[in-house]
Amino acid sequence: MPHYLRSLLCALAEARYLNRTLVVDLSLCLAASYAGGMPEEGKRLAFYIDIEHLQSMVGIVEHKQFWEDWDRWGAQGQLGVRIIEDTRVAPIKFSKARDPLIVRKFGDVEPGNYWYNVCEGEAERMLRPPQGAIRWAPSLMHIVDGIISRMQGDFDSVHVGGDGENLRGRIEENVNGGRQVYVAGEGINILVDVLKLKYSNVHYLDGFEELWETDSKWFLEMKRLNGGVPVEFDGYMRELVDKEVFLKGKKKFEVFG
């Protein structure tokens, strides 16, 4: 997913530089590390990103609809197409192209076939990825807001990396014992139990799972968007929500084992 977003931002920057509309595949393959051990194809980008905001910032069209229209227009073989087959070809080299369609082709070898490579090297000076175009999906931010609301917006936050034995001590050195504490990170259940011995209000992501359970607003909305098929609150969604809640803490600390 991070590679995908980096590539998407680069593609948007290139399209803006060329003053063209970007044809975008609004589905993605979720990496195995976020999908229970197996890559998951066909995840809708709208589950993660605010597509309406993206469309308000830059010119994009969904690739399936584009190719359906392209075929309906009878455009194949009649309208010019410029093929760019190397990510090292900077957009300035074809910025004056008059072809109605420019297609970048990528090889099969990773990571050389990621679009973000286009924005490196010679093109780095001219391409400015539009960082403000990416916002997380409103459905995920609703969960973030729900968690913060349950903590009444007044909490300190800790992001934990690793599992060293001295994590507890580092947290206690930095966080006041009278404060609500939100602990972000993976595999922190045991640490949270230990911290509860000192802190009366310790929170972590799984303590708010009612916000994405089967009767939650998030679950029902995702099921509707997905044509009646339930959507899992997957590993990347967990990571996004966890990080956003952490960033909303009054005081923020990161500790590593």
PDB file of all heavy atoms in Angstrom, residues 202-228:
ATOM      1  N   VAL A 202      -6.101   3.169  30.277  1.00  0.00           N
ATOM      2  CA  VAL A 202      -5.235   2.778  29.166  1.00  0.00           C
ATOM      3  C   VAL A 202      -6.119   2.242  28.046  1.00  0.00           C
ATOM      4  O   VAL A 202      -6.977   1.392  28.269  1.00  0.00           O
ATOM      5  CB  VAL A 202      -4.225   1.695  29.584  1.00  0.00           C
ATOM      6  CG1 VAL A 202      -3.346   1.301  28.400  1.00  0.00           C
ATOM      7  CG2 VAL A 202      -3.363   2.198  30.726  1.00  0.00           C
ATOM      8  N   HIS A 203      -5.905   2.757  26.844  1.00  0.00           N
ATOM      9  CA  HIS A 203      -6.730   2.360  25.705  1.00  0.00           C
ATOM     10  C   HIS A 203      -5.839   1.872  24.560  1.00  0.00           C
ATOM     11  O   HIS A 203      -4.690   2.290  24.429  1.00  0.00           O
ATOM     12  CB  HIS A 203      -7.565   3.545  25.206  1.00  0.00           C
ATOM     13  CG  HIS A 203      -8.361   4.219  26.276  1.00  0.00           C
ATOM     14  ND1 HIS A 203      -9.584   3.762  26.703  1.00  0.00           N
ATOM     15  CD2 HIS A 203      -8.089   5.334  27.017  1.00  0.00           C
ATOM     16  CE1 HIS A 203     -10.047   4.557  27.652  1.00  0.00           C
ATOM     17  NE2 HIS A 203      -9.157   5.519  27.863  1.00  0.00           N
ATOM     18  N   TYR A 204      -6.398   1.016  23.737  1.00  0.00           N
ATOM     19  CA  TYR A 204      -5.721   0.585  22.512  1.00  0.00           C
ATOM     20  C   TYR A 204      -6.788   0.207  21.501  1.00  0.00           C
ATOM     21  O   TYR A 204      -7.986   0.138  21.821  1.00  0.00           O
ATOM     22  CB  TYR A 204      -4.748  -0.557  22.777  1.00  0.00           C
ATOM     23  CG  TYR A 204      -5.368  -1.866  23.217  1.00  0.00           C
ATOM     24  CD1 TYR A 204      -5.240  -3.011  22.432  1.00  0.00           C
ATOM     25  CD2 TYR A 204      -6.063  -1.975  24.425  1.00  0.00           C
ATOM     26  CE1 TYR A 204      -5.792  -4.217  22.835  1.00  0.00           C
ATOM     27  CE2 TYR A 204      -6.613  -3.171  24.836  1.00  0.00           C
ATOM     28  CZ  TYR A 204      -6.481  -4.289  24.035  1.00  0.00           C
ATOM     29  OH  TYR A 204      -7.029  -5.478  24.435  1.00  0.00           O
ATOM     30  N   LEU A 205      -6.383  -0.011  20.257  1.00  0.00           N
ATOM     31  CA  LEU A 205      -7.332  -0.113  19.153  1.00  0.00           C
ATOM     32  C   LEU A 205      -8.416  -1.157  19.379  1.00  0.00           C
ATOM     33  O   LEU A 205      -9.611  -0.886  19.187  1.00  0.00           O
ATOM     34  CB  LEU A 205      -6.577  -0.408  17.850  1.00  0.00           C
ATOM     35  CG  LEU A 205      -7.426  -0.424  16.572  1.00  0.00           C
ATOM     36  CD1 LEU A 205      -8.087   0.926  16.337  1.00  0.00           C
ATOM     37  CD2 LEU A 205      -6.570  -0.803  15.365  1.00  0.00           C
ATOM     38  N   ASP A 206      -8.036  -2.357  19.792  1.00  0.00           N
ATOM     39  CA  ASP A 206      -9.025  -3.429  19.921  1.00  0.00           C
ATOM     40  C   ASP A 206     -10.051  -3.166  21.015  1.00  0.00           C
ATOM     41  O   ASP A 206     -11.087  -3.837  21.066  1.00  0.00           O
ATOM     42  CB  ASP A 206      -8.325  -4.766  20.174  1.00  0.00           C
ATOM     43  CG  ASP A 206      -7.706  -5.333  18.906  1.00  0.00           C
ATOM     44  OD1 ASP A 206      -8.126  -4.917  17.814  1.00  0.00           O
ATOM     45  OD2 ASP A 206      -6.799  -6.181  19.007  1.00  0.00           O
ATOM     46  N   GLY A 207      -9.782  -2.198  21.865  1.00  0.00           N
ATOM     47  CA  GLY A 207     -10.764  -1.836  22.877  1.00  0.00           C
ATOM     48  C   GLY A 207     -11.963  -1.091  22.312  1.00  0.00           C
ATOM     49  O   GLY A 207     -12.938  -0.840  23.031  1.00  0.00           O
ATOM     50  N   PHE A 208     -11.906  -0.762  21.024  1.00  0.00           N
ATOM     51  CA  PHE A 208     -12.989  -0.009  20.379  1.00  0.00           C
ATOM     52  C   PHE A 208     -13.567  -0.786  19.192  1.00  0.00           C
ATOM     53  O   PHE A 208     -14.117  -0.199  18.268  1.00  0.00           O
ATOM     54  CB  PHE A 208     -12.469   1.349  19.896  1.00  0.00           C
ATOM     55  CG  PHE A 208     -11.885   2.197  20.982  1.00  0.00           C
ATOM     56  CD1 PHE A 208     -10.521   2.191  21.228  1.00  0.00           C
ATOM     57  CD2 PHE A 208     -12.694   2.991  21.778  1.00  0.00           C
ATOM     58  CE1 PHE A 208      -9.968   2.971  22.236  1.00  0.00           C
ATOM     59  CE2 PHE A 208     -12.157   3.776  22.793  1.00  0.00           C
ATOM     60  CZ  PHE A 208     -10.795   3.765  23.027  1.00  0.00           C
ATOM     61  N   GLU A 209     -13.456  -2.107  19.237  1.00  0.00           N
ATOM     62  CA  GLU A 209     -13.838  -2.912  18.078  1.00  0.00           C
ATOM     63  C   GLU A 209     -15.325  -2.836  17.749  1.00  0.00           C
ATOM     64  O   GLU A 209     -15.736  -3.204  16.636  1.00  0.00           O
ATOM     65  CB  GLU A 209     -13.424  -4.366  18.286  1.00  0.00           C
ATOM     66  CG  GLU A 209     -14.071  -5.043  19.480  1.00  0.00           C
ATOM     67  CD  GLU A 209     -13.536  -6.455  19.690  1.00  0.00           C
ATOM     68  OE1 GLU A 209     -12.676  -6.875  18.893  1.00  0.00           O
ATOM     69  OE2 GLU A 209     -13.982  -7.113  20.641  1.00  0.00           O
ATOM     70  N   GLU A 210     -16.143  -2.332  18.669  1.00  0.00           N
ATOM     71  CA  GLU A 210     -17.560  -2.175  18.340  1.00  0.00           C
ATOM     72  C   GLU A 210     -17.770  -1.194  17.190  1.00  0.00           C
ATOM     73  O   GLU A 210     -18.821  -1.192  16.541  1.00  0.00           O
ATOM     74  CB  GLU A 210     -18.346  -1.707  19.572  1.00  0.00           C
ATOM     75  CG  GLU A 210     -18.136  -0.260  19.984  1.00  0.00           C
ATOM     76  CD  GLU A 210     -16.926  -0.043  20.881  1.00  0.00           C
ATOM     77  OE1 GLU A 210     -16.149  -1.011  21.071  1.00  0.00           O
ATOM     78  OE2 GLU A 210     -16.761   1.081  21.389  1.00  0.00           O
ATOM     79  N   LEU A 211     -16.751  -0.371  16.915  1.00  0.00           N
ATOM     80  CA  LEU A 211     -16.866   0.618  15.834  1.00  0.00           C
ATOM     81  C   LEU A 211     -16.735  -0.002  14.446  1.00  0.00           C
ATOM     82  O   LEU A 211     -17.020   0.666  13.445  1.00  0.00           O
ATOM     83  CB  LEU A 211     -15.813   1.715  16.019  1.00  0.00           C
ATOM     84  CG  LEU A 211     -16.008   2.616  17.241  1.00  0.00           C
ATOM     85  CD1 LEU A 211     -14.802   3.525  17.433  1.00  0.00           C
ATOM     86  CD2 LEU A 211     -17.277   3.449  17.093  1.00  0.00           C
ATOM     87  N   TRP A 212     -16.287  -1.254  14.363  1.00  0.00           N
ATOM     88  CA  TRP A 212     -16.222  -1.911  13.050  1.00  0.00           C
ATOM     89  C   TRP A 212     -16.834  -3.320  13.078  1.00  0.00           C
ATOM     90  O   TRP A 212     -16.680  -4.091  12.141  1.00  0.00           O
ATOM     91  CB  TRP A 212     -14.788  -1.967  12.522  1.00  0.00           C
ATOM     92  CG  TRP A 212     -13.801  -2.699  13.382  1.00  0.00           C
ATOM     93  CD1 TRP A 212     -13.561  -4.048  13.407  1.00  0.00           C
ATOM     94  CD2 TRP A 212     -12.909  -2.129  14.347  1.00  0.00           C
ATOM     95  NE1 TRP A 212     -12.587  -4.350  14.320  1.00  0.00           N
ATOM     96  CE2 TRP A 212     -12.155  -3.184  14.909  1.00  0.00           C
ATOM     97  CE3 TRP A 212     -12.667  -0.823  14.783  1.00  0.00           C
ATOM     98  CZ2 TRP A 212     -11.188  -2.971  15.896  1.00  0.00           C
ATOM     99  CZ3 TRP A 212     -11.707  -0.612  15.762  1.00  0.00           C
ATOM    100  CH2 TRP A 212     -10.978  -1.676  16.304  1.00  0.00           C
ATOM    101  N   GLU A 213     -17.553  -3.658  14.143  1.00  0.00           N
ATOM    102  CA  GLU A 213     -18.230  -4.948  14.187  1.00  0.00           C
ATOM    103  C   GLU A 213     -19.409  -4.975  13.216  1.00  0.00           C
ATOM    104  O   GLU A 213     -19.757  -3.972  12.602  1.00  0.00           O
ATOM    105  CB  GLU A 213     -18.678  -5.253  15.619  1.00  0.00           C
ATOM    106  CG  GLU A 213     -17.513  -5.615  16.537  1.00  0.00           C
ATOM    107  CD  GLU A 213     -17.965  -5.972  17.941  1.00  0.00           C
ATOM    108  OE1 GLU A 213     -19.041  -5.482  18.360  1.00  0.00           O
ATOM    109  OE2 GLU A 213     -17.242  -6.733  18.622  1.00  0.00           O
ATOM    110  N   THR A 214     -20.053  -6.133  13.105  1.00  0.00           N
ATOM    111  CA  THR A 214     -21.039  -6.347  12.040  1.00  0.00           C
ATOM    112  C   THR A 214     -22.292  -5.479  12.147  1.00  0.00           C
ATOM    113  O   THR A 214     -23.045  -5.375  11.175  1.00  0.00           O
ATOM    114  CB  THR A 214     -21.462  -7.830  12.004  1.00  0.00           C
ATOM    115  OG1 THR A 214     -21.921  -8.227  13.302  1.00  0.00           O
ATOM    116  CG2 THR A 214     -20.279  -8.704  11.593  1.00  0.00           C
ATOM    117  N   ASP A 215     -22.541  -4.875  13.293  1.00  0.00           N
ATOM    118  CA  ASP A 215     -23.702  -3.990  13.409  1.00  0.00           C
ATOM    119  C   ASP A 215     -23.299  -2.518  13.452  1.00  0.00           C
ATOM    120  O   ASP A 215     -24.115  -1.652  13.749  1.00  0.00           O
ATOM    121  CB  ASP A 215     -24.520  -4.334  14.658  1.00  0.00           C
ATOM    122  CG  ASP A 215     -23.708  -4.199  15.945  1.00  0.00           C
ATOM    123  OD1 ASP A 215     -22.463  -4.074  15.857  1.00  0.00           O
ATOM    124  OD2 ASP A 215     -24.316  -4.231  17.037  1.00  0.00           O
ATOM    125  N   SER A 216     -22.038  -2.230  13.131  1.00  0.00           N
ATOM    126  CA  SER A 216     -21.543  -0.853  13.202  1.00  0.00           C
ATOM    127  C   SER A 216     -21.895  -0.076  11.938  1.00  0.00           C
ATOM    128  O   SER A 216     -22.180  -0.651  10.877  1.00  0.00           O
ATOM    129  CB  SER A 216     -20.019  -0.848  13.385  1.00  0.00           C
ATOM    130  OG  SER A 216     -19.376  -1.350  12.218  1.00  0.00           O
ATOM    131  N   LYS A 217     -21.860   1.229  12.050  1.00  0.00           N
ATOM    132  CA  LYS A 217     -22.100   2.093  10.894  1.00  0.00           C
ATOM    133  C   LYS A 217     -21.061   1.834   9.816  1.00  0.00           C
ATOM    134  O   LYS A 217     -21.386   1.776   8.620  1.00  0.00           O
ATOM    135  CB  LYS A 217     -22.049   3.563  11.325  1.00  0.00           C
ATOM    136  CG  LYS A 217     -22.273   4.553  10.196  1.00  0.00           C
ATOM    137  CD  LYS A 217     -22.244   5.993  10.700  1.00  0.00           C
ATOM    138  CE  LYS A 217     -22.443   6.979   9.553  1.00  0.00           C
ATOM    139  NZ  LYS A 217     -22.426   8.391  10.036  1.00  0.00           N
ATOM    140  N   TRP A 218     -19.796   1.647  10.207  1.00  0.00           N
ATOM    141  CA  TRP A 218     -18.730   1.393   9.229  1.00  0.00           C
ATOM    142  C   TRP A 218     -18.998   0.113   8.455  1.00  0.00           C
ATOM    143  O   TRP A 218     -18.929   0.095   7.221  1.00  0.00           O
ATOM    144  CB  TRP A 218     -17.378   1.286   9.938  1.00  0.00           C
ATOM    145  CG  TRP A 218     -16.263   0.944   8.997  1.00  0.00           C
ATOM    146  CD1 TRP A 218     -15.519   1.811   8.252  1.00  0.00           C
ATOM    147  CD2 TRP A 218     -15.792  -0.370   8.649  1.00  0.00           C
ATOM    148  NE1 TRP A 218     -14.616   1.128   7.467  1.00  0.00           N
ATOM    149  CE2 TRP A 218     -14.761  -0.210   7.693  1.00  0.00           C
ATOM    150  CE3 TRP A 218     -16.141  -1.657   9.053  1.00  0.00           C
ATOM    151  CZ2 TRP A 218     -14.081  -1.292   7.138  1.00  0.00           C
ATOM    152  CZ3 TRP A 218     -15.464  -2.742   8.496  1.00  0.00           C
ATOM    153  CH2 TRP A 218     -14.445  -2.554   7.557  1.00  0.00           C
ATOM    154  N   PHE A 219     -19.316  -0.969   9.159  1.00  0.00           N
ATOM    155  CA  PHE A 219     -19.516  -2.260   8.503  1.00  0.00           C
ATOM    156  C   PHE A 219     -20.675  -2.200   7.514  1.00  0.00           C
ATOM    157  O   PHE A 219     -20.565  -2.674   6.371  1.00  0.00           O
ATOM    158  CB  PHE A 219     -19.778  -3.342   9.552  1.00  0.00           C
ATOM    159  CG  PHE A 219     -19.909  -4.723   8.974  1.00  0.00           C
ATOM    160  CD1 PHE A 219     -18.792  -5.523   8.801  1.00  0.00           C
ATOM    161  CD2 PHE A 219     -21.149  -5.219   8.595  1.00  0.00           C
ATOM    162  CE1 PHE A 219     -18.901  -6.798   8.255  1.00  0.00           C
ATOM    163  CE2 PHE A 219     -21.274  -6.487   8.046  1.00  0.00           C
ATOM    164  CZ  PHE A 219     -20.149  -7.279   7.878  1.00  0.00           C
ATOM    165  N   LEU A 220     -21.781  -1.607   7.931  1.00  0.00           N
ATOM    166  CA  LEU A 220     -22.958  -1.540   7.066  1.00  0.00           C
ATOM    167  C   LEU A 220     -22.703  -0.664   5.840  1.00  0.00           C
ATOM    168  O   LEU A 220     -23.152  -0.982   4.736  1.00  0.00           O
ATOM    169  CB  LEU A 220     -24.152  -1.018   7.867  1.00  0.00           C
ATOM    170  CG  LEU A 220     -24.595  -1.919   9.037  1.00  0.00           C
ATOM    171  CD1 LEU A 220     -25.699  -1.246   9.839  1.00  0.00           C
ATOM    172  CD2 LEU A 220     -25.051  -3.288   8.529  1.00  0.00           C
ATOM    173  N   GLU A 221     -21.962   0.432   6.027  1.00  0.00           N
ATOM    174  CA  GLU A 221     -21.654   1.307   4.897  1.00  0.00           C
ATOM    175  C   GLU A 221     -20.709   0.622   3.912  1.00  0.00           C
ATOM    176  O   GLU A 221     -20.888   0.709   2.689  1.00  0.00           O
ATOM    177  CB  GLU A 221     -21.033   2.611   5.403  1.00  0.00           C
ATOM    178  CG  GLU A 221     -20.581   3.573   4.310  1.00  0.00           C
ATOM    179  CD  GLU A 221     -21.700   4.113   3.440  1.00  0.00           C
ATOM    180  OE1 GLU A 221     -22.886   3.901   3.790  1.00  0.00           O
ATOM    181  OE2 GLU A 221     -21.402   4.732   2.411  1.00  0.00           O
ATOM    182  N   MET A 222     -19.695  -0.073   4.419  1.00  0.00           N
ATOM    183  CA  MET A 222     -18.767  -0.776   3.541  1.00  0.00           C
ATOM    184  C   MET A 222     -19.469  -1.899   2.778  1.00  0.00           C
ATOM    185  O   MET A 222     -19.205  -2.126   1.587  1.00  0.00           O
ATOM    186  CB  MET A 222     -17.601  -1.360   4.357  1.00  0.00           C
ATOM    187  CG  MET A 222     -16.656  -0.327   4.930  1.00  0.00           C
ATOM    188  SD  MET A 222     -15.859   0.712   3.666  1.00  0.00           S
ATOM    189  CE  MET A 222     -16.918   2.157   3.730  1.00  0.00           C
ATOM    190  N   LYS A 223     -20.368  -2.585   3.447  1.00  0.00           N
ATOM    191  CA  LYS A 223     -21.123  -3.655   2.787  1.00  0.00           C
ATOM    192  C   LYS A 223     -21.972  -3.082   1.661  1.00  0.00           C
ATOM    193  O   LYS A 223     -22.066  -3.668   0.577  1.00  0.00           O
ATOM    194  CB  LYS A 223     -21.997  -4.369   3.819  1.00  0.00           C
ATOM    195  CG  LYS A 223     -22.745  -5.575   3.274  1.00  0.00           C
ATOM    196  CD  LYS A 223     -23.525  -6.272   4.384  1.00  0.00           C
ATOM    197  CE  LYS A 223     -24.299  -7.463   3.835  1.00  0.00           C
ATOM    198  NZ  LYS A 223     -25.067  -8.154   4.911  1.00  0.00           N
ATOM    199  N   ARG A 224     -22.576  -1.922   1.895  1.00  0.00           N
ATOM    200  CA  ARG A 224     -23.378  -1.272   0.853  1.00  0.00           C
ATOM    201  C   ARG A 224     -22.505  -0.887  -0.337  1.00  0.00           C
ATOM    202  O   ARG A 224     -22.859  -1.148  -1.494  1.00  0.00           O
ATOM    203  CB  ARG A 224     -24.065  -0.034   1.429  1.00  0.00           C
ATOM    204  CG  ARG A 224     -24.987   0.677   0.438  1.00  0.00           C
ATOM    205  CD  ARG A 224     -25.478   2.000   0.980  1.00  0.00           C
ATOM    206  NE  ARG A 224     -24.399   2.971   1.115  1.00  0.00           N
ATOM    207  CZ  ARG A 224     -23.916   3.676   0.093  1.00  0.00           C
ATOM    208  NH1 ARG A 224     -24.396   3.514  -1.132  1.00  0.00           N
ATOM    209  NH2 ARG A 224     -22.939   4.543   0.292  1.00  0.00           N
ATOM    210  N   LEU A 225     -21.349  -0.275  -0.058  1.00  0.00           N
ATOM    211  CA  LEU A 225     -20.449   0.142  -1.131  1.00  0.00           C
ATOM    212  C   LEU A 225     -19.899  -1.043  -1.916  1.00  0.00           C
ATOM    213  O   LEU A 225     -19.557  -0.912  -3.091  1.00  0.00           O
ATOM    214  CB  LEU A 225     -19.280   0.949  -0.552  1.00  0.00           C
ATOM    215  CG  LEU A 225     -19.590   2.353  -0.035  1.00  0.00           C
ATOM    216  CD1 LEU A 225     -18.350   2.963   0.594  1.00  0.00           C
ATOM    217  CD2 LEU A 225     -20.103   3.244  -1.161  1.00  0.00           C
ATOM    218  N   ASN A 226     -19.825  -2.195  -1.250  1.00  0.00           N
ATOM    219  CA  ASN A 226     -19.226  -3.379  -1.868  1.00  0.00           C
ATOM    220  C   ASN A 226     -20.281  -4.306  -2.462  1.00  0.00           C
ATOM    221  O   ASN A 226     -20.053  -5.505  -2.607  1.00  0.00           O
ATOM    222  CB  ASN A 226     -18.389  -4.132  -0.826  1.00  0.00           C
ATOM    223  CG  ASN A 226     -17.301  -4.975  -1.458  1.00  0.00           C
ATOM    224  OD1 ASN A 226     -16.727  -4.609  -2.485  1.00  0.00           O
ATOM    225  ND2 ASN A 226     -17.003  -6.112  -0.846  1.00  0.00           N
ATOM    226  N   GLY A 227     -21.429  -3.754  -2.791  1.00  0.00           N
ATOM    227  CA  GLY A 227     -22.467  -4.545  -3.450  1.00  0.00           C
ATOM    228  C   GLY A 227     -23.073  -5.624  -2.591  1.00  0.00           C
ATOM    229  O   GLY A 227     -23.467  -6.684  -3.098  1.00  0.00           O
ATOM    230  N   GLY A 228     -23.148  -5.387  -1.282  1.00  0.00           N
ATOM    231  CA  GLY A 228     -23.748  -6.354  -0.379  1.00  0.00           C
ATOM    232  C   GLY A 228     -22.782  -7.373   0.193  1.00  0.00           C
ATOM    233  O   GLY A 228     -23.169  -8.208   1.014  1.00  0.00           O
TER     234      GLY A 228
END
